[in-house]
Amino acid sequence: MFSWNLLGVLLWVIIILYLFFVVQNIRKRHITMIIKKHQQFSWLNLAIDFLEVAILLVGALWLFGRTVLDNPDLEDTSKIAATVIYEPLIMNTGSGNSSYVVIDSKKKKIGTQTYTYYRNGKQAKVSSDFATVVYGKSPLDINAAKIPYSEQELRKMDQKFQHAYVAIYTAKYKKDWQNGIGLHAGHVATRYYLIRIPDASFIKQK
C-alpha cells in the first residue's frame, strides 16, 4: 500500500542530493576559474554561489519546519481527523481513602505529575503534560480548553457515568500528500486525557 510519507522521504533525498551537487558545483567552478581563467575572484561565481546556497537553505528550512516544527490546528478538519473515546472510571478501594485518581508529584525544580486511574479493570498512567483532572460543575477546565472537546457531549457523559470517566481525545494526521511532506500522514498528532471525577475528595496524593 502506498504511503504518502514516501513523498517526504523523497523530498529529503532530493535536498541531500542537491547539497552534494552544490558542494561539487562550487568546487568545480572555483577550480576552473583559477586554472583556466587565472582568476582568484569573480562576481559571477560569487553570485551563483549565493544563489545555490540560498535555494538549499530555503528548501531545507521549509522541509525541516514541515517535518519537525509542525504544530497543527486541531480544528483544521482538512488536516486532522479527531476521535474521542469515553471510558468509565473504576474506584480504587485499596489502602487509604477510596479514589478515582492517584496523583504522583515529583518535587523538583521542573516538577512533573503522573495521574494513575483505573478503567476496564486495568491501571493507566498518564503525564500531566497530556492530561488534566476535572471536578466540579463544569466538565472542562483551563488546561482542557486547548483541546477541542465538545462541552455538550461531556455533559452527556456526566449524566451517563455520574461524573466518573475519562475522555481520551486522539488527533491523527490524515493520509494525504500535504501531511506526507512532513512524514506525518497517518500518525498521531496528539492524545489527551480528560479525567472527570465528582469532586476533589476522590483524588489521592502520593
Side-chain angles (χ1 to χ4, degrees):
M1 182 178 177
F2 176 79
S3 172
W4 281 112
N5 291 321
L6 292 176
L7 176 61
V9 173
L10 177 61
L11 290 175
W12 275 112
V13 170
I14 291 174
I15 289 293
I16 294 172
L17 291 177
Y18 183 66
L19 169 63
F20 284 108
F21 165 79
V22 169
V23 172
Q24 292 298 324
N25 185 257
I26 290 176
R27 180 175 179 272
K28 180 180 179 181
R29 283 188 290 100
H30 281 257
I31 290 175
T32 301
M33 179 182 65
I34 294 172
I35 294 177
K36 292 186 176 181
K37 298 182 179 180
H38 305 289
Q39 295 178 338
Q40 295 292 329
F41 178 80
S42 167
W43 283 107
L44 178 60
N45 255 353
L46 183 63
I48 295 174
D49 292 348
F50 272 113
L51 179 61
E52 290 180 348
V53 172
I55 293 173
L56 175 64
L57 289 176
V58 169
L61 290 174
W62 176 78
L63 196 55
F64 179 82
R66 294 292 297 266
T67 305
V68 179
L69 304 179
D70 186 64
N71 187 23
D73 180 355
L74 298 180
E75 294 183 310
D76 183 0
T77 56
S78 67
K79 189 173 184 178
I80 294 294
T83 57
V84 182
I85 297 175
Y86 301 93
E87 297 180 342
L89 294 178
I90 297 175
M91 187 176 293
N92 179 19
T93 57
S95 59
N97 64 303
S98 299
S99 61
Y100 282 119
V101 182
V102 178
I103 300 180
D104 185 7
S105 301
K106 303 297 182 183
K107 309 300 190 294
K108 296 182 179 181
K109 180 180 178 181
I110 301 177
T112 59
Q113 288 184 326
T114 301
Y115 303 144
T116 302
Y117 65 90
Y118 291 86
R119 83 279 190 272
N120 296 328
K122 296 181 180 179
Q123 183 187 80
K125 289 187 177 182
V126 293
S127 168
S128 60
D129 293 335
F130 305 100
T132 187
V133 178
V134 182
Y135 54 86
K137 291 183 179 181
S138 175
L140 286 170
D141 65 2
I142 295 176
N143 294 321
K146 61 187 176 184
I147 302 298
Y149 282 108
S150 167
E151 185 172 354
Q152 182 179 3
E153 191 66 24
L154 290 173
R155 291 191 181 279
K156 288 182 181 179
M157 295 302 111
D158 277 357
Q159 297 297 319
K160 182 177 181 179
F161 298 119
Q162 289 76 50
H163 296 73
Y165 60 91
V166 57
I168 306 172
Y169 171 92
T170 303
K172 282 189 175 183
Y173 290 95
K174 289 186 174 181
K175 296 179 180 180
D176 54 29
W177 67 269
Q178 292 97 330
N179 290 328
I181 290 175
L183 304 175
H184 299 307
H187 294 172
V188 173
T190 189
R191 180 171 284 123
Y192 198 84
Y193 299 77
L194 188 156
I195 305 170
R196 180 72 160 126
I197 59 176
D199 58 67
S201 65
F202 290 95
I203 298 174
K204 181 179 179 181
Q205 295 284 347
K206 188 175 180 181

